[in-house]
Structures are given as structure tokens and as C-alpha cells.
């Protein structure tokens, strides 16, 4: 138990409340971890006070799949444990089609990256054309993000199943099928440098930051409000695990509490414009499983990770996952029937009516109004969903791998894909966006957002690489102001 609390140095909010910070970051997920690392790198020589505050506890020191004792069932249970995840449930969705909603917000040191699948795809230029940051600039920041996240296409390389699948797809109508870029580190352990972090997470960025600049960290510390005086941020209010409130002073605050955490803080503070909490988006996801006979291949011990990217006339992407690299020491029975997951991620419209708001009645364990979510798919979203379902059958047929089970091409409930975004989206117009193109909250000096909440539109690519790229850009902007 003592070790569980000492693998990274952290202090109590009471101690942080005695300091005056130059920069405070809220949240240690993809956005918060990236901003911390980049600021510590860019400001390494500056005498600045930096702090980072996390609502969750220290639970695992790395991506769960880097743990040799990783057990897929235990982690699934951990992921469902309300101690580490806040669920937003409703079955009362209105809109084109009533679909149950079950969004979830990880509350844990490291955020969603403790569990994420590491799929790291750039947004397509068709989608980036709608963003307030130029494609050229995005490409510059994507390159940095890919470097620090060790993004590679090598994961399934050499597997006969991967080669057969790519060949069949390319010959049968999907010439753009390719290997999925994933954030995993293939560097061998050598010359005394131990690589124990194959799967990337924001905890690695926080570890790198530790070696660049000193910073204070508080965990089990829930930020409830940002404080603004005369149009300028002056600090935050946070509660400790025993629900005691503290005021922390800061000249710059970066909110990286995620798609639900950020608007929750802003709405409860009465800060930000009309767009705060609105334009909630995700990726509509259509799942199917394909049947493969092991005996049809030379060997199937490898894995497959295939991407069919979106195109100008197709507002969705496909991912195919076969085999796994989980549970390295588990002995599994060799079965002749093998299943491949085929998932389609569709673009979802950014609509004002898809939103999070403060619940007028319910309060959370910190005594502040809970969030409620209104979300539905539009008719346009439903058209893309129908196209994805029809195209899934075409992909299965191109692969000569039938869909397993009658009619088993299913629409996943919104939130089940964990790609929520957009509640503090970036844009030029303060009426329809929350931050400007650098992640600065419109109209408030020194207050920024950097995480999935700022993504301007959903596109079709898994969100995290784009979030990391934009968070680096926001950190560069802040460091230029502070140098
Ligand atoms: C099982 C799973 C698989 C996934 N696979 C992929 C994938 O393959 N590719 C991909 O691109 N994405 C994937 N994702 C999504 C990815 O994890 C998210 O896109 C990413 O984590 C979002 O980063 P974020 O910084 O916006 O939020 P988070 O990572 O959720 O971080 C927010 C942090 O803020 C903290 N926080 C919240 N509120 C407060 C508060 N009030 N005060 C203080 N701290 C607070 C939270 O505890 C959390 O640590 C996956 C997610 C899951 C769960």
C-alpha cells in the first residue's frame, strides 16, 4: 500500500494552496500529460512554478497491458468499477432514432490512456479542412505527436493473416487498405536501457516531464471551479479526497479534464460562452465479427490490424482486429474457428442540441450539480450508419470471411466507442466555439483547454493522436507567452 502511493511524488492540495503557480494543469490524461511534458521541455530553463491536479487516484503506473500479470477480464472489471469511471447513463435519448446512451469518463491517474487501444490515425484532410488550424500546421504537430508516442505501422507486420487480408481487400475493391498506425514502442531493451513500456500512455509523458522541469502533482484532488477576475484567470478551486475545498492561485490554467470534466468545471464556474458543453460528438460505430477457419491459412499465430481509411466519398473508416497480444503468459486452447472484429467509425455531425448541462436536481459526491447529457444521432448520421452497415458486408465479402451469426452487424450505443469530444470545441466564432485556434477560452486571459473536448469536428479517425497534436500546439503557444 505504501508503494502504491510513492511511485510518483505527489503532495496534498493544502501544500499547493500555499504556492502561487505560473501554470496549473487540470487532468493527467492525453491532453494534460501532453501539455505538462511539452511545457516542461520548452520551459526547462525558466524558473516557473508548474502544478498538475488529478481527480483520480494512482492505480497503475503504466498502460495496463504493459503489466505482465494483465488479465483482460480483471481490467474490464476495473474499467466498469465506479471507483475509477463515472458513468453517464440515460435510455431516454430523443432524436431520429432512440438509442441508449452510456458515456463514461475515466477518473484515474493517466486518464483513458491507461486502457486505450493505441490506434493512432491522423484526421483525413477532408475533415481537417473544417478545422481552424491549417492542414500544414496539423501535419507539423502530427509528426511531433507520432514521434513522442512511438507511432508505428509494424504491429502486425509479418503475420500471414495480415498479408492475406490486405491482399484480398486490395484486390476486391478496397485498394487503400493498409496497416493500422499504433502507439507502441518496439525499441529493444539494450545497453542498460530497459523498455518496459510497449504500450504508450500519458504516464510516459509525465515521466519524461519529471526529468525536464520540477512540478507539483496532487491526486484525488477534484477541481470544481476556475476563478476569473476582471477577464483574467486567477486560479482554481479544488476539493481533496476528504471533500475539503482549497483555493489555488495561478496565472495560467489549462483545463484537460476531458470531454465531460472540462464543461463541468466551466459551467459550474459560470465561465465561457454559449457553446460550452454543446456540440458533443463521437463516432457512430457499427460492429461485426467475421469468421475465419484457421486451417485456411499457413499459420495464424500472428495478429491482424487493418485500416481502410475514409475517403472523399466515404464518411467512415474501417478497422479490423484479429488475434491479440494480451495476456502473454496465458495458455489458450487452439481452436479452428477464429473471430476478427470489423468496426466502422462514422463521422457524427457537430450539433448544438447534443450537449452536457448541469443537472438542476442531482448533485455529485462533491456536492456540486451533476452533469446530464442529451445526445442523439441526426438523420444525416443515420444515413452514414446505414452506409457503414451495408459496406461492412462488402468488406466481409472482399475478405471471403463471412459475418459470424445471422444479422450480426450492430450499431454500438453512443459512448461505447469512448471517442467523445467537442464540448469545448475550437473555432473562430465565440458563438459556436469555446476556444480559439490556440486552445484559449474565448474572452478570458490565461485560461486554456487541451484535450478531446477541443476537437472541432469528429472526422472519422480515432481522436487521441489529434488531441495530442493540438495539446502540443497549445503548450507551444503558452510557452511563447511565458518565455
Ligand atoms: C478502452 C478504451 C480504448 C480506447 N482506444 C483508443 C484508441 O485506440 N485510439 C484512440 O485514439 N483513442 C482511444 N480511446 C480514447 C482515448 O482514451 C481518449 O481519446 C483520451 O484518453 C482522451 O484524452 P483526454 O485528455 O481528453 O481525457 P482523459 O484521458 O479522460 O483525461 C482526463 C483526465 O482528467 C481527470 N479529471 C476529470 N475531471 C477532473 C476534475 N474535475 N479535476 C481534476 N481532474 C479531473 C480524469 O481523471 C482524467 O485523468 C480509448 C479509450 C478507452 C477507454
Amino acid at each position: 500500500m505504501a508503494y502504491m502511493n510513492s511511485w510518483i511524488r505527489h503532495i496534498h492540495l493544502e501544500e499547493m494552496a500555499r504556492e502561487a503557480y505560473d501554470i496549473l494543469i487540470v487532468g493527467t490524461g492525453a491532453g494534460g500529460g501532453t501539455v505538462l511534458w511539452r511545457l516542461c521541455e520548452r520551459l526547462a530553463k525558466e524558473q516557473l512554478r508548474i502544478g498538475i491536479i488529478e481527480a483520480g487516484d494512482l492505480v497503475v503506473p503504466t498502460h495496463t497491458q504493459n503489466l505482465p500479470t494483465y488479465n483482460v477480464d480483471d481490467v474490464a472489471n476495473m474499467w466498469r468499477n465506479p471507483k475509477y469511471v463515472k458513468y453517464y447513463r440515460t435510455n431516454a435519448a430523443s432524436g431520429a432514432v432512440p438509442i441508449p446512451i452510456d458515456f463514461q469518463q475515466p477518473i484515474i491517474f493517466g486518464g483513458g490512456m491507461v486502457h486505450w487501444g493505441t490506434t493512432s490515425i491522423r484526421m483525413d484532410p477532408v475533415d481537417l479542412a473544417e478545422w481552424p488550424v491549417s492542414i500544414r500546421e496539423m501535419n507539423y504537430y502530427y509528426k511531433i505527436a507520432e514521434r513522442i508516442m512511438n507511432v508505428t505501422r509494424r504491429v502486425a507486420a509479418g503475420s500471414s493473416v495480415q498479408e492475406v487480408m490486405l491482399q484480398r481487400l486490395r484486390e476486391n475493391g478496397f485498394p487503400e487498405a493498409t496497416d493500422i498506425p499504433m502507439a507502441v514502442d518496439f525499441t529493444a531493451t539494450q545497453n542498460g536501457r530497459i523498455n518496459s513500456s510497449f504500450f504508450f500512455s500519458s504516464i510516459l509523458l509525465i515521466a519524461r516531464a519529471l526529468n525536464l522541469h520540477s512540478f507539483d502533482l496532487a491526486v484525488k484532488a477534484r477541481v470544481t471551479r476556475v476563478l476569473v477576475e476582471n477577464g483574467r484567470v486567477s486560479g482554481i478551486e479544488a476539493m481533496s479526497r476528504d471533500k475539503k475545498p482549497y483555493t489555488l492561485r495561478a496565472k495560467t490554467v489549462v483545463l484537460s479534464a476531458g470531454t465531460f470534466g472540462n464543461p463541468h468545471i466551466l459551467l459550474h464556474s459560470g465561465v465561457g460562452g454559449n457553446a460550452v458543453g454543446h456540440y458533443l460528438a463521437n463516432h457512430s460505430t457499427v460492429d461485426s465479427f467475421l469468421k475465419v477457419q484457421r486451417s485456411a491459412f499457413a499459420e495464424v499465430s500472428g495478429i491482424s490490424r487493418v485500416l481502410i481509411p475514409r475517403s472523399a466519398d466515404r464518411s467512415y473508416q474501417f478497422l479490423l482486429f484479429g488475434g491479440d497480444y494480451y495476456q502473454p503468459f496465458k495458455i489458450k486452447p487452439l481452436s479452428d474457428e477464429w473471430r476478427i472484429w470489423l468496426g466502422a467509425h462514422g463521422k457524427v455531425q457537430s450539433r448544438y442540441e447534443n450537449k452536457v448541462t448541469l443537472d438542476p436536481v442531482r448533485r455529485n459526491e462533491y456536492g456540486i450539480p451533476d452533469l446530464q447529457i442529451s445526445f442523439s444521432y441526426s438523420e444525416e448520421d443515420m444515413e452514414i450508419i446505414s452506409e457503414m452497415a451495408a459496406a461492412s458486408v462488402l468488406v466481409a465479402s472482399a475478405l471471403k470471411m463471412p459475418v459470424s451469426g445471422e444479422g450480426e452487424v450492430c450499431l454500438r450505443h453512443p459512448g461505447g466507442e469512448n471517442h467523445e469530444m467537442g464540448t469545448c470545441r475550437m473555432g473562430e466564432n465565440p458563438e459556436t466555439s469555446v476556444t480559439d485556434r490556440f486552445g484559449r477560452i474565448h474572452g478570458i486571459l490565461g485560461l486554456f483547454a487541451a484535450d478531446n473536448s477541443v476537437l472541432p469536428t469528429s472526422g472519422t479517425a480515432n481522436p487521441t493522436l489529434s488531441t495530442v497534436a493540438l495539446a502540443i500546439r497549445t503548450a507551444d503557444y503558452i510557452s511563447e507567452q511565458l518565455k
Side-chain angles (χ1 to χ4, degrees):
M1 210 49 212
Y3 173 73
M4 280 312 293
N5 261 317
S6 61
W7 51 264
I8 181 165
R9 185 180 170 270
H10 56 100
I11 61 174
H12 197 275
L13 278 177
E14 191 173 352
E15 210 177 315
M16 288 185 84
R18 288 196 286 268
E19 299 294 339
Y21 287 92
D22 294 289
I23 309 164
L24 271 180
I25 301 159
V26 181
T28 58
T34 304
V35 169
L36 177 72
W37 159 73
R38 188 64 166 180
L39 288 174
C40 286
E41 185 190 63
R42 298 296 294 252
L43 300 170
K45 295 200 181 107
E46 312 292 327
Q47 298 290 313
L48 294 169
R49 254 229 83 127
I50 301 177
I52 184 161
I53 299 161
E54 169 55 54
D57 211 346
L58 301 172
V59 180
V60 278
T62 181
H63 191 296
T64 48
Q65 286 181 58
N66 291 327
L67 300 169
T69 50
Y70 174 87
N71 174 312
V72 78
D73 301 321
D74 287 351
V75 174
N77 286 335
M78 171 181 157
W79 182 232
R80 285 185 213 108
N81 187 338
K83 244 170 104 180
Y84 309 125
V85 187
K86 164 88 180 165
Y87 279 99
Y88 296 101
R89 282 207 170 102
T90 165
N91 290 314
S94 57
V97 177
I99 302 165
I101 294 172
D102 197 352
F103 285 105
Q104 47 221 281
Q105 155 81 70
I107 302 289
I108 184 171
F109 178 77
M113 277 190 138
V114 159
H115 307 282
W116 79 310
T118 73
T119 297
S120 300
I121 302 169
R122 292 186 185 195
M123 287 281 169
D124 190 276
V126 174
D127 298 311
L128 288 179
E130 298 175 339
W131 287 22
V133 182
S134 72
I135 295 176
R136 198 159 158 255
E137 230 187 311
M138 279 308 296
N139 285 340
Y140 173 81
Y141 283 102
Y142 273 138
K143 263 195 205 143
I144 304 174
E146 285 162 349
R147 179 175 51 78
I148 58 156
M149 294 165 73
N150 314 306
V151 176
T152 172
R153 289 179 185 262
R154 281 178 56 199
V155 174
S159 147
S160 68
V161 180
Q162 179 80 350
E163 278 162 24
V164 168
M165 285 174 63
L166 285 175
Q167 192 185 348
R168 288 185 186 174
L169 286 167
R170 287 171 183 163
E171 284 173 0
N172 296 306
F174 298 94
E176 62 283 52
T178 183
D179 303 291
I180 299 181
M182 303 187 89
V184 294
D185 186 358
F186 275 91
T187 314
T189 289
Q190 58 182 351
N191 302 331
R193 183 189 178 274
I194 296 167
N195 179 12
S196 56
S197 298
F198 184 69
F199 294 94
F200 181 82
S201 77
S202 56
I203 297 175
L204 267 180
L205 290 176
I206 296 168
R208 282 181 202 160
L210 277 170
N211 294 296
L212 296 167
H213 196 293
S214 64
F215 61 86
D216 293 337
L217 162 72
V219 294
K220 284 295 268 176
R222 176 73 173 241
V223 174
T224 51
R225 267 188 232 269
V226 282
L227 305 171
V228 175
E229 287 166 22
N230 304 321
R232 189 171 227 308
V233 76
S234 61
I236 52 125
E237 262 176 28
M239 290 216 204
S240 57
R241 63 178 78 207
D242 52 2
K243 315 286 184 302
K244 211 168 152 205
Y246 293 90
T247 300
L248 274 59
R249 286 171 295 150
K251 290 185 196 144
T252 299
V253 172
V254 185
L255 297 177
S256 299
T259 297
F260 300 117
N262 273 3
H264 202 177
I265 296 168
L266 289 171
L267 290 168
H268 186 236
S269 316
V271 165
N274 292 335
V276 174
H278 294 267
Y279 304 102
L280 172 64
N282 72 330
H283 290 131
S284 55
T285 300
V286 168
D287 295 306
S288 34
F289 288 89
L290 311 182
K291 253 196 290 194
V292 187
Q293 294 305 120
R294 187 177 57 85
S295 46
F297 295 93
E299 61 81 21
V300 285
S301 58
I303 59 165
S304 59
R305 295 288 185 270
V306 174
L307 163 69
I308 306 177
R310 77 154 293 171
S311 56
D313 57 352
R314 200 170 54 211
S315 299
Y316 51 88
Q317 67 172 20
F318 281 111
L319 297 178
L320 285 132
F321 278 48
D324 60 29
Y325 34 46
Y326 312 137
Q327 295 169 273
F329 301 109
K330 189 172 176 187
I331 297 164
K332 297 173 196 164
L334 195 61
S335 96
D336 194 46
E337 196 172 290
W338 210 44
R339 286 200 335 154
I340 292 180
W341 170 69
L342 167 63
H345 289 140
K347 183 173 174 157
V348 167
Q349 276 186 303
S350 297
R351 292 186 301 137
Y352 186 79
E353 52 270 48
N354 281 341
K355 62 183 180 194
V356 305
T357 46
L358 293 182
D359 194 304
V361 183
R362 271 182 316 132
R363 296 195 163 249
N364 67 12
E365 71 272 30
Y366 292 88
I368 66 169
D370 223 336
L371 274 192
Q372 56 182 22
I373 299 183
S374 307
F375 187 88
S376 64
Y377 287 132
S378 68
E379 278 176 19
E380 196 174 301
D381 298 335
M382 289 308 297
E383 267 171 39
I384 293 173
I385 289 166
S386 300
E387 282 173 34
M388 291 196 291
S392 298
V393 178
L394 295 180
V395 172
S397 135
L399 283 165
K400 303 187 179 80
M401 296 173 183
V403 175
S404 84
E406 273 298 299
E408 286 204 357
V409 178
C410 293
L411 174 61
R412 208 184 292 182
H413 65 81
E417 77 303 320
N418 299 295
H419 290 181
E420 59 283 341
M421 60 189 107
T423 49
C424 294
R425 69 177 188 155
M426 263 187 191
E428 306 289 355
N429 180 353
E431 280 306 309
T432 55
S433 62
V434 177
T435 80
D436 70 8
R437 49 198 302 278
F438 295 105
R440 193 173 40 179
I441 308 285
H442 290 302
I444 298 167
L445 290 170
L447 183 58
F448 293 81
D451 55 23
N452 279 16
S453 72
V454 305
L455 296 177
T457 56
S458 84
T460 63
N462 308 49
T464 312
L465 181 73
S466 299
T467 286
V468 171
L470 286 175
I472 297 169
R473 187 170 176 276
T474 294
D476 283 2
Y477 179 82
I478 295 171
S479 51
E480 282 309 308
Q481 313 293 305
L482 291 179
K483 267 186 193 170

